[in-house]
Every structure is written in structure tokens, then in C-alpha cells.
Amino acid sequence: MLGGMAQTTETPPADTPDGWAPRSPGTPRTPRIHRAWFVAAVTFVTIIGAAAFASLPGLLIEPLHEEFDWSRGTIGFAVSVNLALYGLTAPFAAALMDRFGIRRIVAVALSVIALGSVLTVWMTAAWQLVLLWGVLVGLGSGSMALAFAATVTNRWFVGRRGLVTGILTAAGASGQLVFLPLLSWLVEHHGWRPAAVTVALAALAVVPFVWLLLRDHPADVGLAPYGGEYADKPAPVTGAARRAVTVLFKAARTGPFWLLAGTFAICGASTNGLVKTHFVPAAHDHGMPVTAAAGLLAVIGVFDVVGTIASGWFTDRFEARRLLAVYYALRGISLLFLPMLLAPSVHPPMLFFIVFYGLDWVATVPPTIALCREHYGEDSAIVFGWVLASHQVGAAVVAFAGGVARDVFGSYDLVWYASGALCAAAALMALVIRRPRKETVSLAGA
């Protein structure tokens, strides 16, 4: 793999797929590894550190229900606010990164996540959960959303974009893998408050890495993007909120936007909204210990890393809309079988589901970003931010509806079956997305 990142001492031509162009004829000899890979590594670590907060909601439902006697629907509402703001903040965060730089926005976002998480330790009412975990953590996490990964990829990479997108997307799953077993152990043995403090500390620990090592643009260090030609850093874009809204209205006039938004809403409903939020309490309903159920989610994170990186590799080589159709179809089939697999103990069919579902968890992200890039050009990060907003709205609806369904029917079965059917619809929608035009234009300037 190092061969794809390495750089010989003789600068290759500008159009070399794996090389990068010199800034000028007098540019010094280039380093053996392009700086873009170090930026990608810092981004990866940042997303891992921020992923701690995403591991916690599913572990909080039972402890908060037992301590405060809040209904699962009430707790699910707080989680749904978090998920919705996570998505709705993303396009504005992408525009703010163009205005103020990646480092500043990400550092502030991590600090907001830490503040919202640590203050939950002293909450005594449900509205405080909604305000702290729902609003503050939701706003902070929205600025750390996948639009962050898309922005870094678009600025620093021309070659290997699909692969890098897959790696950065997998960082969230890696964070889940790192933190979920620890957080579940803390909740089980010491209560939910130490787990909330751990999330805050993890977010704060990443801030120095972001501030010291992350750079906003290749031109900041006199480089071309990996695999591309040198270009001066563009001037800061003013009117970030206006630009985000303008891009939305322009994109909303096109069919691919609604198909991508619809499929990604179903993606969010069937992952963050359903499995990440309700799998642990659903397994616990069938007698499985919380630590065992959380361990299974962590295993999903392991295979998600493999599946997402592989999806990035596939996206560089195969048609993105067909990949999406396959991913959604396979996910729907797996969810239809899940109610029959839940049991007090872990058994081979359940492990097969975990592996199968894990490979598909966010494999949809690289082809979705690729389709945004192909259709919407330089505004693709903001467009993807809005598509991600639909992902989180779908997740928010199911996070709330899943809790209500459990309160009303005493079981999650209906939610699993409905989610499987929605995934089948998403597969058909992906196939309807038309092929992109050969040339794209800036939506903001259209």
C-alpha cells in the first residue's frame, strides 16, 4: 500500500494518477510520502475520537429509564433530536469550513460535544437530556459529520478519492470499536455518568491534534492535491449560510438529489436510527446481557471498517448507483431475518448476521459521495451535507418511532420488518438515478 502513497525524489508529471504536480519550476525535491496522507491520518484519528458520542445513546436507554422512570419514547426523542441536528448542521458546517477553515470549525465542534456530554452528569429532567444530548451534542456532532470527511477528501485528493473516502468513513466504525466495549462496561459496573464523562474527555483529547496537525488546503503548505495539479488556495467564501441554502435550492431542482436524499434517509433509518440506537435494548429484551449486546455492536464496527474500505475501492472501479442497489438489497434481507435471531445468548446465526450486516453498515457512503461529486462538482460537499441531513432525519424518525413501538407493542419486531422493506425500496430508487452529465457546474453560481 505504501507504493500508492510513496513519492520518488523526481517529481512526476502533473497528470500522473498517483503523483502530484510541482508548484513551480523551482520547487524543492518532494517528500517521499505526500502530505495529503498525513492530513487523512489526522482526520481519521479525529473522527475516531469524536465517535465516542455515537456509541453511547443505545447504552443510555435502559439506565435512564430505570433511574428517572422516563419512557423509552421520551429518551428516543432526545436521541432523535441529536440525530436530526447532526444531519441538519452538516451542510452549514461544510460551508463554514469554506469560510473559516477546517481546523477552527472542527476544534469548536469537539469542544461543544464535550460540554454537552459532561453537563448531562447533573441533569434531573427529561428536557435537560433533550437540550444537552439532543441539541448541544447534536450541533457539535453535525459539524464533525461525514461532510468533514468529504471536504478533506475533495481538497486534498484527486487520485484515490474513493479509497480515502472509504477509509475516513470507516473511522467512525473504528471509534465505535474502540469505545463501545469500554462504555458498556462502565455503564454496567459504574453507571452511565462515568461513560458520559469519558465521551467528553475523548472529544477534548483530539482538539490538540486538530489544531496542530490539520491543514485546511494543500496550498497552505505549497503542494498540489494528491494526484492533481497545484492551485492557489481560494479566498474565504462569505455568506456560508446563504451559500448552503442556495446550493440546496439549486440541487432540489434536480432528480438525482431527491433520489440520493431518499435512499440515504433509509440508510440512516436502518443504521443509526434503528440498530445503533435500539439493538442493545432489543437484545436485552430477549435476555441477552447488555455487555454481550454491546460487544456484538463493536464486532459490527470491525467488519464495517473492512466493508467501507472495500466499498471505496469498488467505487473507484464500478458504477456507484449499482453498488448502492446491491448494498441496500442485502441490508434489507439481513434485517428481515434479525427478529428470528435474537436470543439470550450469542449463537452462530447471530454472528453471521453481525458479520453480514457489519460489512454493509456504511458501505453506502463512498458511492453516495461519488454520485454527489459527479453530479454537483465543486458544491458536492455541501450537497452531500444536505443528503446527510436526510440520512439523519430518517435516523431521527426511527430512533423515536422505535422507542414508541417498543412502549406500545412490547417488541421491536414491527420496526425490524418495516426497515427491511424500506431498504428494498432504496435499492430500487438507487437504480433509477440517472447517469451524471460529463460536465458539472457550481450550483451556488448557477
Side-chain angles (χ1 to χ4, degrees):
M1 180 174 179
L2 187 60
M5 297 184 289
Q7 196 70 43
T8 60
T9 55
E10 294 183 4
T11 305
D15 58 352
T16 301
D18 291 344
W20 52 280
R23 178 177 180 179
S24 67
T27 300
R29 302 176 95 184
T30 61
R32 291 191 60 82
I33 299 179
H34 195 286
R35 179 66 175 268
W37 293 104
F38 292 102
V39 172
V42 173
T43 304
F44 186 90
V45 172
T46 302
I47 295 174
I48 286 178
F53 66 83
S55 304
L56 195 55
L59 303 176
L60 291 179
I61 293 178
E62 290 301 324
L64 293 179
H65 173 69
E66 293 176 2
E67 178 172 338
F68 298 105
D69 199 29
W70 298 336
S71 71
R72 293 175 180 84
T74 298
I75 301 169
F77 176 72
V79 176
S80 71
V81 171
N82 175 292
L83 294 173
L85 287 177
Y86 177 101
L88 294 172
T89 304
F92 296 97
L96 286 171
M97 288 177 188
D98 287 341
R99 175 67 179 88
F100 298 105
I102 298 174
R103 286 196 303 170
R104 293 178 181 176
I105 299 303
V106 173
V108 170
L110 289 167
S111 300
V112 171
I113 289 171
L115 178 64
S117 182
V118 77
L119 288 179
T120 59
V121 171
W122 293 282
M123 68 181 178
T124 56
W127 68 266
Q128 295 168 348
L129 176 67
V130 175
L131 174 63
L132 297 174
W133 195 262
V135 177
L136 284 184
V137 177
L139 290 173
S141 60
S143 301
M144 285 294 303
L146 292 172
F148 169 44
T151 300
V152 170
T153 304
N154 288 349
R155 290 186 183 183
W156 281 89
F157 290 87
V158 174
R160 300 292 190 267
R161 272 181 172 172
L163 176 63
V164 174
T165 300
I167 292 172
L168 295 183
T169 303
S174 300
Q176 176 178 305
L177 169 65
V178 170
F179 289 105
L180 192 55
L182 170 63
L183 294 176
S184 64
W185 181 85
L186 286 173
V187 171
E188 185 80 7
H189 294 88
H190 301 285
W192 61 270
R193 288 178 176 82
V197 173
T198 300
V199 169
L201 293 176
L204 285 177
V206 181
V207 173
F209 291 94
V210 171
W211 195 255
L212 296 175
L213 302 177
L214 194 62
R215 292 295 179 267
D216 294 327
H217 194 278
D220 288 341
V221 288
L223 296 178
Y226 181 84
E229 298 180 356
Y230 178 85
D232 290 330
K233 182 178 180 179
V237 180
T238 59
R242 182 175 65 253
R243 184 185 177 208
V245 174
T246 300
V247 169
L248 170 63
F249 278 104
K250 297 292 185 181
R253 298 176 185 174
T254 65
F257 173 79
W258 291 107
L259 291 169
L260 287 169
T263 56
F264 225 41
I266 294 172
C267 179
S270 56
T271 53
N272 291 8
L274 183 60
V275 175
K276 183 170 283 188
T277 304
H278 294 293
F279 177 81
V280 171
H284 189 61
D285 283 347
H286 287 76
M288 184 179 293
V290 170
T291 51
L296 290 177
L297 276 185
V299 174
I300 286 179
V302 175
F303 288 94
D304 180 28
V305 174
V306 177
T308 307
I309 294 176
S311 178
W313 188 86
F314 290 142
T315 302
D316 284 333
R317 290 161 176 78
F318 300 102
E319 191 176 352
R321 63 193 186 99
R322 297 187 184 276
L323 288 175
L324 283 181
V326 171
Y327 296 156
Y328 284 122
L330 294 176
R331 182 184 298 175
I333 292 171
S334 66
L335 288 172
L336 291 175
F337 280 97
L338 181 57
M340 296 177 281
L341 302 178
L342 292 170
S345 60
V346 180
H347 50 91
M350 172 58 79
L351 290 176
F352 179 79
F353 166 82
I354 293 297
V355 173
F356 189 86
Y357 184 86
L359 291 172
D360 200 309
W361 177 271
V362 287
T364 56
V365 173
T368 299
I369 291 178
L371 287 170
C372 288
R373 187 182 301 122
E374 291 168 4
H375 282 279
Y376 304 109
E378 65 183 48
D379 292 311
S380 61
I382 296 177
V383 173
F384 178 69
W386 286 112
V387 171
L388 179 63
S390 71
H391 179 283
Q392 295 307 113
V393 169
V397 170
V398 172
F400 175 63
V404 172
R406 171 61 178 80
D407 289 334
V408 173
F409 301 108
S411 169
Y412 286 101
D413 288 358
L414 179 62
V415 186
W416 301 124
Y417 292 133
S419 184
L422 285 174
C423 288
L428 295 176
M429 292 168 64
L431 291 175
V432 176
I433 300 173
R434 62 175 172 80
R435 295 177 184 274
R437 293 175 297 175
K438 292 183 178 180
E439 295 183 359
T440 57
V441 295
S442 171
L443 293 172

